[in-house]
Amino acid sequence: MKYNQYAYVKTDYKTQVEELLQIKFLPSAYQKLSFGALLAELTANTVAVIAPDAKSARNAKLAEFAVSDSERLSDFLDTAPEKIDCSQFYNVALQLLGYHVGYDYQLSEPLKFMQKQGLPYVKNIGDKKHLIQAFYRLLNTRAKNGQLLIDVMAGEGYFYNRRNQFAKNKFLFFNGKSMPIFDTSKVIREVVYVESDLDTDGDGKSDLLQTTIFRPIESENLPVPALYTASPYFGGMIDNEQRNHNVDENLSDATEWTNPQYQAAPVVKAKKPLADSKESYKPVEQAVGKSSYGLNEYMLARGFASVSAGAIGTRGSDGLRITGAPEETESAKEIIEWLHGDRIAYTDRSRQHETKATWCNKKIGMTGRSYLGTLQIAIATTGVAGLKTVISEAAISSWYDYYREHGLVIAPEDCQGEDLDMLAETCQSNLWDAGDYLKIKPKFDEMQKVLLKKADRKTGQYSDFWEKRNYRHHTENIKCSWISVHGLNDWNVKPKNVYKIWQKVKNLPIQQHLFLHQGPHYNMNNLVSIDFTDLMNLWLVHELLGIENNAYEQWPTVLVQDNLKADKWHDEDDWSNSIGTETVYFPTDNNELTKDANGMQKVSFTDLGGTEFKKAKISENDWQYQFICGNPKWTKASLRYTTDEFIHPVTIVGRPEIRMRVSSSLNKGQISVALVEMGDRKRLTATPKILMPGEQELGFHFKVDSLQEFMPDRLTHAKLITKAHMNLQNYQDMKKPAKIKAGDFYDLQFELQPTYYTMPVGSKLCLIIYSTDQGMTKRPLEKTVYTVDLAKTAIKFSLK
Amino acid sequence: MKYNQYAYVKTDYKTQVEELLQIKFLPSAYQKLSFGALLAELTANTVAVIAPDAKSARNAKLAEFAVSDSERLSDFLDTAPEKIDCSQFYNVALQLLGYHVGYDYQLSEPLKFMQKQGLPYVKNIGDKKHLIQAFYRLLNTRAKNGQLLIDVMAGEGYFYNRRNQFAKNKFLFFNGKSMPIFDTSKVIREVVYVESDLDTDGDGKSDLLQTTIFRPIESENLPVPALYTASPYFGGMIDNEQRNHNVDENLSDATEWTNPQYQAAPVVKAKKPLADSKESYKPVEQAVGKSSYGLNEYMLARGFASVSAGAIGTRGSDGLRITGAPEETESAKEIIEWLHGDRIAYTDRSRQHETKATWCNKKIGMTGRSYLGTLQIAIATTGVAGLKTVISEAAISSWYDYYREHGLVIAPEDCQGEDLDMLAETCQSNLWDAGDYLKIKPKFDEMQKVLLKKADRKTGQYSDFWEKRNYRHHTENIKCSWISVHGLNDWNVKPKNVYKIWQKVKNLPIQQHLFLHQGPHYNMNNLVSIDFTDLMNLWLVHELLGIENNAYEQWPTVLVQDNLKADKWHDEDDWSNSIGTETVYFPTDNNELTKDANGMQKVSFTDLGGTEFKKAKISENDWQYQFICGNPKWTKASLRYTTDEFIHPVTIVGRPEIRMRVSSSLNKGQISVALVEMGDRKRLTATPKILMPGEQELGFHFKVDSLQEFMPDRLTHAKLITKAHMNLQNYQDMKKPAKIKAGDFYDLQFELQPTYYTMPVGSKLCLIIYSTDQGMTKRPLEKTVYTVDLAKTAIKFSLK
């Protein structure tokens, strides 16, 4: 398994020496030391658990290393060496990197092991210059736990032990990244209340928004950037899953659609900060140490404040949760306005004492996944001042694409029956405080009714309600730089969300990056195969501290994790159909899928909705796996067309598009289409496997994280590549339903979720046409016969 | 689900007032305050996130509470009340305890909810005295997250915010328990090297034992007790599972037994500390913040040092791991000798600078589970000075009972093929340091051969090798008080280990307690149904700080968790057959199990070893469940006898004993016997369900833990109560094998694992007689026919 490394900045020898002196690794008198003395000194320095002035302890540790299968480092040093062999050096280095002799590697062949792990090494270490270069590279090499060695050393006390040797209240950079020299034992954790321009609970007073800040104590004297995570879950999550909406119901006639309109909440004008007022009260409320997002904690140890806020409706804040609405964006954005000095906040809800973010350098980045990533997109599209960059993971770019698709109610994976109203309730955690409950509950009940009605589960159609929840129509306002991260197997927030906004963001005059990993609804901070956390360090130092560290040239615009080998990442300039070549496949009368010619038959299948599924008492995921594998119990309700085995690997990129002519036995209908890779083989785990639990120290005696990676797993028969669903009544217009007649044929054309999927040699591609998707669509109670005219059916996609 | 509470110490009003004043909860001028003002003040004091002097913020928080479904607390206080109704008070109290109005409880019926949760309340709060009593009880009531409210408040900063009001360097007690007033941001984490009298690696020098100490900074001026966890895994665990021994082999003739002898390792005499020497170097090596045992972390915040050591063979220490041997006990014990001032330690492995445990009050308790609990038993039986108490969880009391049973090789659950040699390798983590590896590896290889040979997987018989690993033969040396914790469903360290040592410990002139929970190989610190952590606080304060806090009278000698209702705990004076009434059941010719009369037939079954099991490709656990449920595929290889449905619940207590007459078609054989509860019902989860992940703050901005409990789970058909295995060749003597003849009948008599199991109404008890137990016994390759003479077969157990 290769430890790929993208965040290592190429550095000349002179700069290497300067930096090593700055971090107090290279002794200032290094030029006077012999080769052997320098080797001893630098090796002992890497043993960060020992106090730098404890000579006997440092020497004793040198006996715990070996340079070969017969010689300890201490004995080698006793020979007063003038040089060290590459394999001798890396026997010691591998041990420093956390590998275990005899178990991970053999003392006789260290380089062979390093090549396997993709670890860099210096070939000739015949003099002090090369020795220094080798150590510089080693400190910036990823250890077994996935972290850079310098970060491992930091977790063992390297910087803590030398804390008096560094300038107070300054950032320290090494190879372009900020080092964890901030005192994590004294982090300031405080709560303030930002005053909004909104009055979503309609009490005539501006809503106050509880905001939690974790910041280094050094920020009392050194303005620091803020990493802001807008988390609607921060106040707690109301567990209402058990009352998810019923999905076991027939489709409705979509023409009953009334185009529900977005309705704005009341606004008030909050007091604005006076430009010349310096008066600021100290916060009086402490934040309880919640485990927040790992990336924020990692950066906190490196001098970046971590700010969390739930905004309207969440615990400690006023107002109503109105998921996806412009009010939600506004309230979450207002926290940035306070951080930037453009809005006021109070020490408590009595609104008496104003408090300022004097500790902030007014440069703000955003982080977070899922809903927390979504709000980054929402806020970025306002162009708010102070927001310099977003690192948006698994984010929704249009709420219609989260709860709906092509005129149908489509659930996120594992969330059948959930809808926007329920998510709003999940986040309405200010109901938990009884005093707030008395005031909010009646208004909340009313808003819940509005949300349920306007979201229109009946027809599933697009409307003004959803249009106001589509951030993609405001991308022209984006001023900050942009990083998107998404799982190619994310069936919760489906990849279309990132794909469609990427098509706009990529053309903006900003710096932008995209990472696509092989996970589901997940983040990728600690993968073996990529040094994502280090990249983010480099990026944030560049964007929020203004340090020139090559961050813009350091890695490709798009990086895509391979679906066959987890430690292979593809470099791309873009993610779109245009990076491949258009190819069209046709279903034949013999259930083949070929490039040659269409079938001519009209073929039917009978959909039974959820009837059989409910009887089987299996999970939705089990159903899906059995269905794509071709279990006859389920495939009756589908048409399936399969290619020959691929004799060369090919990669499907972008969004496949299906066109088909179809009729329904009723005057309504839903069509689902899936592309599946068929073939018995060991595929990667669906989620990364935790490899070294809790072994990444994010600072000194601070939070921890765990290395993980997708690993080869047990044999499976098939894998879903992509799918899509469509309402027949939208055959004319995706945004407007039409009447259809039972038995009449209609031409559909729609895109599947985007992908980047390599078909291995020997696999087959299968196109499945069906209707009820047990985990996502409504599950009708009635029988429907669908007939497909193969002569007018084809699937088109890009191959590379 | 009831939050049972055993650790609340009944306290008179005068003491309550004193304690409330001491913790600065009750204002010193409390007598001058009106009822309403006192209510406001005390309620605000519970909102520990707010700085005590932040008046407006404190007042603002009072508006977040409600006293009824129409009145906020702030409005109620505005009426200058002279009393508060019980339901008004507990509406506020429930919110303080972390419950959510509208979701957990209704403002109209707080007391109904409190009764359901088993929460105590004061009925009339008509004056200030009763108000103070109500608050005293409330602070000592378990919150929704399982912690006492005062501990929740501590996690929110209660003591931190008032840190200048408490005496420096003193313990603070409340209701008999130590409070977390120690500065967890400044914990000292250091490493020292204790010098052993052993030279297990035979290099002529005493082995040094790396010892890690986490202690409060206050211990620089205040001697504190030490909680010592002897953990062979502390240096890391070598993963060697993939080379577990083959268990798919035929039984051997046990008379090939040679009674392997224990062989002592070399000893040297370490330098002893001089009585009057005060010279002590400060440690120079820092410990990396590892997540250690939750109970230790909890007590660390409360002033108790946490000491961990792996002892011989582990990383950073010299020597060889010799699992279970007296050398292992000796080396783990020597850490206590250093803590107690009776042994020396160095700052590093160069042995130059001696360092003393001057911070220790010389009173040591031990903690830990599994191997870590085992070493508590081992060390307690040495009677070492300084060891005052052990809290030994899921511990082995004789290594024969871990890897062997009645003349057979029997694996711990989920560890088929593991043996003592492999566990020794798992812990030999000093191999990971290459310098140590060069020295140790050849000696380690040699020791591995010795352990494998002497453990004698061939015959499975008891021997001197095992005798020296049986701590129960040294219980007369025990001087410390004793707490044992064990899961009644622990099939890794089987309950016989705790049962057999309990039979000895209970008669010693020491204080002793036993907790039996419903888990497998697990600890019970954070269960909803019992306040175990609070009990341990009370206990350790009594034992290690010498405070009289009623700890000895506070809870029953034996507490047993019910297997039907997780929140019911049985009080017992003892755990033995004698707490029930002896009952005998007989198998009949009609496969019944009755109290009336024996069957007269001789019946046979054919054992196929592991043949069919391996073909089925299912896990050992799946096999066991299918087997006990009566899946015909597996039951062919067994005899099964079942009672009628029980019409009253009865509880099987202690160790059932089977006697049976049996023949084998070969001149060898293994017999297994299981008692199973049959009946379709929803049983409890096998492991506790995590209910509030990470929501227990063990100190202020310190480690966290999670509330958990066994919860009603999905329907299952049967549950294993107990089982046992026996080698036919031990029919005469459990400690000495005999020849047997194929086809001849032999009388066996042996005890099953102990239990405490309530058969619910409608369930049936099933006795299963079989041979190969796929997850535990060897799995022969050959066919064996066993014949049982029912006329001479009966099972005896105690019922209550």
Side-chain angles (χ1 to χ4, degrees), chain A residues 283-306:
Chain A
V284 296
E285 183 172 338
Q286 292 208 95
V288 177
K290 294 210 188 197
S291 96
S292 82
Y293 184 48
L295 183 61
N296 288 32
E297 300 284 318
Y298 164 86
M299 292 308 300
L300 178 54
R302 286 152 182 84
F304 289 61
S306 173

PDB file of all heavy atoms in Angstrom, chain A residues 283-306:
ATOM      1  N   PRO A 283     -15.955  37.303  26.534  1.00  0.00           N
ATOM      2  CA  PRO A 283     -17.018  36.295  26.676  1.00  0.00           C
ATOM      3  C   PRO A 283     -17.042  35.716  28.093  1.00  0.00           C
ATOM      4  O   PRO A 283     -16.000  35.629  28.748  1.00  0.00           O
ATOM      5  CB  PRO A 283     -16.627  35.227  25.661  1.00  0.00           C
ATOM      6  CG  PRO A 283     -15.855  35.976  24.625  1.00  0.00           C
ATOM      7  CD  PRO A 283     -15.107  37.030  25.386  1.00  0.00           C
ATOM      8  N   VAL A 284     -18.223  35.342  28.559  1.00  0.00           N
ATOM      9  CA  VAL A 284     -18.368  34.821  29.932  1.00  0.00           C
ATOM     10  C   VAL A 284     -18.850  33.372  29.954  1.00  0.00           C
ATOM     11  O   VAL A 284     -18.933  32.764  31.007  1.00  0.00           O
ATOM     12  CB  VAL A 284     -19.367  35.673  30.751  1.00  0.00           C
ATOM     13  CG1 VAL A 284     -18.840  37.087  30.910  1.00  0.00           C
ATOM     14  CG2 VAL A 284     -20.754  35.677  30.110  1.00  0.00           C
ATOM     15  N   GLU A 285     -19.195  32.864  28.780  1.00  0.00           N
ATOM     16  CA  GLU A 285     -19.700  31.480  28.736  1.00  0.00           C
ATOM     17  C   GLU A 285     -18.628  30.596  28.120  1.00  0.00           C
ATOM     18  O   GLU A 285     -18.058  30.925  27.080  1.00  0.00           O
ATOM     19  CB  GLU A 285     -20.989  31.424  27.908  1.00  0.00           C
ATOM     20  CG  GLU A 285     -21.617  30.048  27.881  1.00  0.00           C
ATOM     21  CD  GLU A 285     -22.988  30.023  27.219  1.00  0.00           C
ATOM     22  OE1 GLU A 285     -23.650  31.073  27.135  1.00  0.00           O
ATOM     23  OE2 GLU A 285     -23.394  28.932  26.774  1.00  0.00           O
ATOM     24  N   GLN A 286     -18.391  29.462  28.776  1.00  0.00           N
ATOM     25  CA  GLN A 286     -17.393  28.533  28.275  1.00  0.00           C
ATOM     26  C   GLN A 286     -18.026  27.481  27.400  1.00  0.00           C
ATOM     27  O   GLN A 286     -19.128  27.022  27.681  1.00  0.00           O
ATOM     28  CB  GLN A 286     -16.762  27.804  29.441  1.00  0.00           C
ATOM     29  CG  GLN A 286     -15.947  28.687  30.294  1.00  0.00           C
ATOM     30  CD  GLN A 286     -14.866  27.862  30.935  1.00  0.00           C
ATOM     31  OE1 GLN A 286     -13.759  27.792  30.433  1.00  0.00           O
ATOM     32  NE2 GLN A 286     -15.195  27.225  32.009  1.00  0.00           N
ATOM     33  N   ALA A 287     -17.298  27.065  26.401  1.00  0.00           N
ATOM     34  CA  ALA A 287     -17.765  25.941  25.585  1.00  0.00           C
ATOM     35  C   ALA A 287     -17.310  24.649  26.236  1.00  0.00           C
ATOM     36  O   ALA A 287     -16.208  24.562  26.766  1.00  0.00           O
ATOM     37  CB  ALA A 287     -17.198  26.039  24.192  1.00  0.00           C
ATOM     38  N   VAL A 288     -18.187  23.659  26.227  1.00  0.00           N
ATOM     39  CA  VAL A 288     -17.801  22.343  26.707  1.00  0.00           C
ATOM     40  C   VAL A 288     -16.993  21.693  25.588  1.00  0.00           C
ATOM     41  O   VAL A 288     -17.275  21.877  24.415  1.00  0.00           O
ATOM     42  CB  VAL A 288     -19.046  21.517  27.034  1.00  0.00           C
ATOM     43  CG1 VAL A 288     -18.644  20.115  27.471  1.00  0.00           C
ATOM     44  CG2 VAL A 288     -19.838  22.205  28.119  1.00  0.00           C
ATOM     45  N   GLY A 289     -15.963  20.965  25.968  1.00  0.00           N
ATOM     46  CA  GLY A 289     -15.083  20.358  24.961  1.00  0.00           C
ATOM     47  C   GLY A 289     -15.770  19.287  24.156  1.00  0.00           C
ATOM     48  O   GLY A 289     -15.780  18.138  24.539  1.00  0.00           O
ATOM     49  N   LYS A 290     -16.365  19.684  23.065  1.00  0.00           N
ATOM     50  CA  LYS A 290     -16.964  18.671  22.195  1.00  0.00           C
ATOM     51  C   LYS A 290     -15.924  18.211  21.201  1.00  0.00           C
ATOM     52  O   LYS A 290     -15.107  19.007  20.747  1.00  0.00           O
ATOM     53  CB  LYS A 290     -18.115  19.268  21.392  1.00  0.00           C
ATOM     54  CG  LYS A 290     -19.261  19.688  22.238  1.00  0.00           C
ATOM     55  CD  LYS A 290     -20.558  19.553  21.445  1.00  0.00           C
ATOM     56  CE  LYS A 290     -21.677  20.169  22.251  1.00  0.00           C
ATOM     57  NZ  LYS A 290     -22.999  19.788  21.814  1.00  0.00           N
ATOM     58  N   SER A 291     -15.989  16.989  20.838  1.00  0.00           N
ATOM     59  CA  SER A 291     -15.103  16.530  19.786  1.00  0.00           C
ATOM     60  C   SER A 291     -15.636  17.113  18.496  1.00  0.00           C
ATOM     61  O   SER A 291     -16.705  16.766  18.033  1.00  0.00           O
ATOM     62  CB  SER A 291     -15.083  15.012  19.740  1.00  0.00           C
ATOM     63  OG  SER A 291     -15.963  14.524  18.786  1.00  0.00           O
ATOM     64  N   SER A 292     -14.922  18.070  17.951  1.00  0.00           N
ATOM     65  CA  SER A 292     -15.391  18.665  16.707  1.00  0.00           C
ATOM     66  C   SER A 292     -14.665  17.987  15.566  1.00  0.00           C
ATOM     67  O   SER A 292     -14.101  16.913  15.706  1.00  0.00           O
ATOM     68  CB  SER A 292     -15.195  20.175  16.736  1.00  0.00           C
ATOM     69  OG  SER A 292     -13.881  20.505  16.394  1.00  0.00           O
ATOM     70  N   TYR A 293     -14.668  18.624  14.431  1.00  0.00           N
ATOM     71  CA  TYR A 293     -14.145  18.028  13.212  1.00  0.00           C
ATOM     72  C   TYR A 293     -12.619  17.904  13.269  1.00  0.00           C
ATOM     73  O   TYR A 293     -11.909  18.853  13.603  1.00  0.00           O
ATOM     74  CB  TYR A 293     -14.599  18.933  12.075  1.00  0.00           C
ATOM     75  CG  TYR A 293     -14.256  18.490  10.707  1.00  0.00           C
ATOM     76  CD1 TYR A 293     -14.504  17.189  10.303  1.00  0.00           C
ATOM     77  CD2 TYR A 293     -13.685  19.372   9.807  1.00  0.00           C
ATOM     78  CE1 TYR A 293     -14.195  16.792   9.030  1.00  0.00           C
ATOM     79  CE2 TYR A 293     -13.388  18.980   8.528  1.00  0.00           C
ATOM     80  CZ  TYR A 293     -13.624  17.691   8.145  1.00  0.00           C
ATOM     81  OH  TYR A 293     -13.314  17.305   6.890  1.00  0.00           O
ATOM     82  N   GLY A 294     -12.092  16.724  12.963  1.00  0.00           N
ATOM     83  CA  GLY A 294     -10.667  16.438  13.097  1.00  0.00           C
ATOM     84  C   GLY A 294      -9.759  17.447  12.410  1.00  0.00           C
ATOM     85  O   GLY A 294      -8.732  17.855  12.964  1.00  0.00           O
ATOM     86  N   LEU A 295     -10.117  17.876  11.201  1.00  0.00           N
ATOM     87  CA  LEU A 295      -9.272  18.817  10.473  1.00  0.00           C
ATOM     88  C   LEU A 295      -9.148  20.138  11.238  1.00  0.00           C
ATOM     89  O   LEU A 295      -8.074  20.740  11.294  1.00  0.00           O
ATOM     90  CB  LEU A 295      -9.848  19.054   9.065  1.00  0.00           C
ATOM     91  CG  LEU A 295      -9.047  19.976   8.142  1.00  0.00           C
ATOM     92  CD1 LEU A 295      -7.659  19.431   7.872  1.00  0.00           C
ATOM     93  CD2 LEU A 295      -9.793  20.189   6.817  1.00  0.00           C
ATOM     94  N   ASN A 296     -10.246  20.571  11.842  1.00  0.00           N
ATOM     95  CA  ASN A 296     -10.200  21.808  12.633  1.00  0.00           C
ATOM     96  C   ASN A 296      -9.282  21.643  13.837  1.00  0.00           C
ATOM     97  O   ASN A 296      -8.537  22.555  14.198  1.00  0.00           O
ATOM     98  CB  ASN A 296     -11.597  22.181  13.142  1.00  0.00           C
ATOM     99  CG  ASN A 296     -12.505  22.687  12.044  1.00  0.00           C
ATOM    100  OD1 ASN A 296     -12.378  22.257  10.903  1.00  0.00           O
ATOM    101  ND2 ASN A 296     -13.410  23.584  12.364  1.00  0.00           N
ATOM    102  N   GLU A 297      -9.365  20.491  14.499  1.00  0.00           N
ATOM    103  CA  GLU A 297      -8.520  20.256  15.677  1.00  0.00           C
ATOM    104  C   GLU A 297      -7.043  20.247  15.288  1.00  0.00           C
ATOM    105  O   GLU A 297      -6.202  20.794  15.994  1.00  0.00           O
ATOM    106  CB  GLU A 297      -8.894  18.919  16.322  1.00  0.00           C
ATOM    107  CG  GLU A 297     -10.327  18.819  16.789  1.00  0.00           C
ATOM    108  CD  GLU A 297     -10.566  19.580  18.079  1.00  0.00           C
ATOM    109  OE1 GLU A 297      -9.719  19.508  18.977  1.00  0.00           O
ATOM    110  OE2 GLU A 297     -11.600  20.254  18.165  1.00  0.00           O
ATOM    111  N   TYR A 298      -6.772  19.596  14.168  1.00  0.00           N
ATOM    112  CA  TYR A 298      -5.398  19.536  13.660  1.00  0.00           C
ATOM    113  C   TYR A 298      -4.886  20.945  13.405  1.00  0.00           C
ATOM    114  O   TYR A 298      -3.772  21.306  13.795  1.00  0.00           O
ATOM    115  CB  TYR A 298      -5.407  18.679  12.393  1.00  0.00           C
ATOM    116  CG  TYR A 298      -4.185  18.780  11.503  1.00  0.00           C
ATOM    117  CD1 TYR A 298      -3.059  17.992  11.726  1.00  0.00           C
ATOM    118  CD2 TYR A 298      -4.171  19.646  10.413  1.00  0.00           C
ATOM    119  CE1 TYR A 298      -1.952  18.082  10.899  1.00  0.00           C
ATOM    120  CE2 TYR A 298      -3.079  19.734   9.574  1.00  0.00           C
ATOM    121  CZ  TYR A 298      -1.961  18.952   9.816  1.00  0.00           C
ATOM    122  OH  TYR A 298      -0.881  19.040   8.988  1.00  0.00           O
ATOM    123  N   MET A 299      -5.699  21.771  12.780  1.00  0.00           N
ATOM    124  CA  MET A 299      -5.263  23.136  12.468  1.00  0.00           C
ATOM    125  C   MET A 299      -5.248  24.015  13.721  1.00  0.00           C
ATOM    126  O   MET A 299      -4.473  24.962  13.797  1.00  0.00           O
ATOM    127  CB  MET A 299      -6.159  23.745  11.386  1.00  0.00           C
ATOM    128  CG  MET A 299      -6.020  23.109   9.998  1.00  0.00           C
ATOM    129  SD  MET A 299      -4.321  22.985   9.307  1.00  0.00           S
ATOM    130  CE  MET A 299      -3.825  24.712   9.236  1.00  0.00           C
ATOM    131  N   LEU A 300      -6.086  23.702  14.694  1.00  0.00           N
ATOM    132  CA  LEU A 300      -6.095  24.470  15.947  1.00  0.00           C
ATOM    133  C   LEU A 300      -4.733  24.380  16.637  1.00  0.00           C
ATOM    134  O   LEU A 300      -4.186  25.368  17.123  1.00  0.00           O
ATOM    135  CB  LEU A 300      -7.209  23.933  16.854  1.00  0.00           C
ATOM    136  CG  LEU A 300      -7.382  24.565  18.240  1.00  0.00           C
ATOM    137  CD1 LEU A 300      -7.550  26.075  18.158  1.00  0.00           C
ATOM    138  CD2 LEU A 300      -8.599  23.953  18.952  1.00  0.00           C
ATOM    139  N   ALA A 301      -4.178  23.173  16.663  1.00  0.00           N
ATOM    140  CA  ALA A 301      -2.846  23.003  17.247  1.00  0.00           C
ATOM    141  C   ALA A 301      -1.807  23.788  16.457  1.00  0.00           C
ATOM    142  O   ALA A 301      -0.717  24.071  16.951  1.00  0.00           O
ATOM    143  CB  ALA A 301      -2.480  21.526  17.277  1.00  0.00           C
ATOM    144  N   ARG A 302      -2.151  24.130  15.236  1.00  0.00           N
ATOM    145  CA  ARG A 302      -1.237  24.848  14.334  1.00  0.00           C
ATOM    146  C   ARG A 302      -1.601  26.328  14.206  1.00  0.00           C
ATOM    147  O   ARG A 302      -1.178  27.000  13.274  1.00  0.00           O
ATOM    148  CB  ARG A 302      -1.228  24.137  12.970  1.00  0.00           C
ATOM    149  CG  ARG A 302      -0.440  22.819  13.043  1.00  0.00           C
ATOM    150  CD  ARG A 302      -0.877  21.767  12.065  1.00  0.00           C
ATOM    151  NE  ARG A 302      -0.097  20.543  12.252  1.00  0.00           N
ATOM    152  CZ  ARG A 302      -0.372  19.596  13.163  1.00  0.00           C
ATOM    153  NH1 ARG A 302      -1.418  19.732  13.957  1.00  0.00           N
ATOM    154  NH2 ARG A 302       0.398  18.529  13.274  1.00  0.00           N
ATOM    155  N   GLY A 303      -2.465  26.798  15.131  1.00  0.00           N
ATOM    156  CA  GLY A 303      -2.692  28.234  15.227  1.00  0.00           C
ATOM    157  C   GLY A 303      -3.959  28.764  14.588  1.00  0.00           C
ATOM    158  O   GLY A 303      -4.173  29.969  14.562  1.00  0.00           O
ATOM    159  N   PHE A 304      -4.804  27.893  14.078  1.00  0.00           N
ATOM    160  CA  PHE A 304      -6.026  28.334  13.417  1.00  0.00           C
ATOM    161  C   PHE A 304      -7.212  28.150  14.367  1.00  0.00           C
ATOM    162  O   PHE A 304      -7.464  27.040  14.843  1.00  0.00           O
ATOM    163  CB  PHE A 304      -6.265  27.522  12.141  1.00  0.00           C
ATOM    164  CG  PHE A 304      -5.301  27.823  11.019  1.00  0.00           C
ATOM    165  CD1 PHE A 304      -3.933  27.616  11.177  1.00  0.00           C
ATOM    166  CD2 PHE A 304      -5.748  28.321   9.803  1.00  0.00           C
ATOM    167  CE1 PHE A 304      -3.037  27.899  10.157  1.00  0.00           C
ATOM    168  CE2 PHE A 304      -4.859  28.607   8.769  1.00  0.00           C
ATOM    169  CZ  PHE A 304      -3.498  28.391   8.938  1.00  0.00           C
ATOM    170  N   ALA A 305      -7.955  29.219  14.606  1.00  0.00           N
ATOM    171  CA  ALA A 305      -9.130  29.094  15.465  1.00  0.00           C
ATOM    172  C   ALA A 305     -10.176  28.211  14.794  1.00  0.00           C
ATOM    173  O   ALA A 305     -10.246  28.119  13.568  1.00  0.00           O
ATOM    174  CB  ALA A 305      -9.718  30.471  15.741  1.00  0.00           C
ATOM    175  N   SER A 306     -10.967  27.541  15.616  1.00  0.00           N
ATOM    176  CA  SER A 306     -12.046  26.691  15.116  1.00  0.00           C
ATOM    177  C   SER A 306     -13.363  27.259  15.638  1.00  0.00           C
ATOM    178  O   SER A 306     -13.550  27.378  16.844  1.00  0.00           O
ATOM    179  CB  SER A 306     -11.826  25.268  15.627  1.00  0.00           C
ATOM    180  OG  SER A 306     -12.910  24.441  15.302  1.00  0.00           O
TER     181      SER A 306
END
